[in-house]
Amino acid sequence: MAAPGVAALQCPKCGAAITIRAVQQTQTVVCASCHAVLDACDQQLRVVQEYQARMDFEPQLPLGRRGMLHAREYEVTGFQVRSVRTEEQDAFWREYTLWNPYQGYRYLTEYDGHWCDFVVTRMAPSEMVSGRQPYVTHGGTLFRHFRTATATTQFILGEFPWQVRSGDRVTVRDFVAPPMMVSEEVSPSATIWSVGTYLAPEVVWRAFALPGQPPRPQGIFECEPNPHSDTWKARYRRGRNLGIAALAALLAFPLLAHRVNVAWYLGPVLLALAIAALPACLAWRAADAMETARWADSDYAEPAE
């Protein structure tokens, strides 16, 4: 991947070397040494914020690391940690800014080992309300509202194509249609919509050639695909076919009643019906349990008894 527009500068705060990879697009750059937030649009890299984060975070994807996503090479140029307040606790997630000089930007988010690949969309989804739950449609897909929250930027490092400061707050609305989600961010200056797709941690690790194994995801992410849904549907189809065969045999019983013993005939038929129904029922219960757990973290969780 070529890297047009790379600039090597010095931090006006501490004198450390700073490399800006996307000169024409970068608006904010954060010094890796003193964590001062600098205005990349100013030739002197004016300090717009000194280090104010309450804690340090180490990115799992190192700045400058390159990886292949969607058959394109992207470089990690920015890293930020954001949080929302839930039940008097701060839930933190990490966001990585990826840059390709010909494809532009995309963003990887990570929360509790769950990864999602986002791109900004220029076309806002169509929004509607059904009952008390809003939903949006984008690209012919219906996304159900999951949560509305205030997100706070806690830590920033690297370069960004927008003006960002530690302590920035935006209102975030998430809509889900696993394995995809649509997210709206509203700030005083702009409203931005982005579309995300769930990524298995192994995909990210392979894409960026990271050492070892990725941390195992904890809990259920809001757009994590339900592995039991396809299982349930496949077992339902198999069970339906077996059930139809058993039902046909049951309907044929009157024709054979004068020739066979009733108990001998009905027993295998009823057993076949039970065998047909059981796997689909078990898979459906597993799929339903996962959806219940997913929505327990949403704005539509059932109230605790």
Side-chain angles (χ1 to χ4, degrees), residues 11-13 18 27-32 34-40 44-53 153-160 162-168:
C11 173
K13 181 70 176 177
I18 292 178
Q27 296 188 33
T28 302
V29 62
V30 181
C31 175
C34 69
H35 296 277
V37 180
L38 310 174
D39 183 358
Q44 304 302 317
L45 292 181
R46 179 175 59 90
V47 177
V48 296
Q49 185 182 49
E50 296 186 4
Y51 182 61
Q52 294 184 358
T153 298
Q154 301 287 1
F155 181 84
I156 49 179
L157 193 63
E159 58 187 90
F160 302 87
W162 72 92
Q163 294 288 339
V164 60
R165 309 284 187 272
S166 177
D168 281 354

Side-chain angles (χ1 to χ4, degrees), residues 58-291:
E58 186 71 23
Q60 292 178 297
L61 303 183
L63 295 183
R65 178 66 64 94
R66 294 182 178 184
M68 297 294 295
L69 283 176
H70 310 287
R72 298 288 189 274
E73 187 178 52
Y74 286 87
E75 183 172 359
V76 182
T77 59
F79 170 67
Q80 70 169 324
V81 177
R82 307 169 84 183
S83 69
V84 296
R85 192 76 171 171
T86 59
E87 297 180 355
E88 300 183 355
Q89 295 183 21
D90 286 328
F92 295 87
W93 75 93
R94 296 158 177 79
E95 295 187 3
Y96 298 86
T97 303
L98 308 183
W99 162 248
N100 177 294
Y102 307 107
Q103 303 299 318
Y105 289 96
R106 64 186 325 113
Y107 305 89
L108 287 182
T109 67
E110 180 271 325
Y111 173 72
D112 275 357
H114 298 277
W115 292 82
C116 202
D117 173 28
F118 281 93
V119 291
V120 173
T121 177
R122 296 182 178 179
M123 182 176 297
S126 301
E127 183 171 349
M128 290 148 280
V129 177
S130 178
R132 71 187 183 99
Q133 185 178 28
Y135 64 93
V136 299
T137 57
H138 180 78
T141 300
L142 186 147
F143 296 80
R144 299 167 59 192
H145 179 247
F146 189 86
R147 180 189 296 120
T148 298
T150 299
T152 303
T153 298
Q154 301 287 1
F155 181 84
I156 49 179
L157 193 63
E159 58 187 90
F160 302 87
W162 72 92
Q163 294 288 339
V164 60
R165 309 284 187 272
S166 177
D168 281 354
R169 293 188 175 186
V170 296
T171 300
V172 178
R173 291 197 302 160
D174 290 337
F175 298 80
V176 300
M180 298 179 66
M181 65 184 294
V182 171
S183 184
E184 177 197 45
E185 291 191 8
V186 180
S187 68
S189 59
T191 296
I192 297 174
W193 287 91
S194 54
V195 181
T197 304
Y198 188 87
L199 289 181
E202 295 78 11
V203 173
V204 178
W205 244 243
R206 288 195 302 269
F208 290 90
L210 298 176
Q213 298 296 320
R216 186 172 182 177
Q218 303 297 313
I220 299 171
F221 190 61
E222 52 195 271
C223 72
E224 180 181 358
N226 190 330
H228 306 290
S229 294
D230 291 339
T231 302
W232 175 78
K233 294 174 183 178
R235 290 180 178 178
Y236 168 77
R237 287 191 293 268
R238 290 196 297 267
R240 179 192 59 192
N241 295 337
L242 183 57
I244 290 174
L247 184 61
L250 187 62
L251 293 175
F253 173 71
L255 301 177
L256 304 173
H258 65 286
R259 297 183 181 180
V260 300
N261 180 275
V262 174
W264 178 88
Y265 183 80
L266 290 182
V269 172
L270 295 176
L271 179 61
L273 289 172
I275 293 174
L278 183 60
C281 289
L282 292 176
W284 177 84
R285 287 188 61 182
D288 183 67
M290 180 169 175
E291 291 305 317

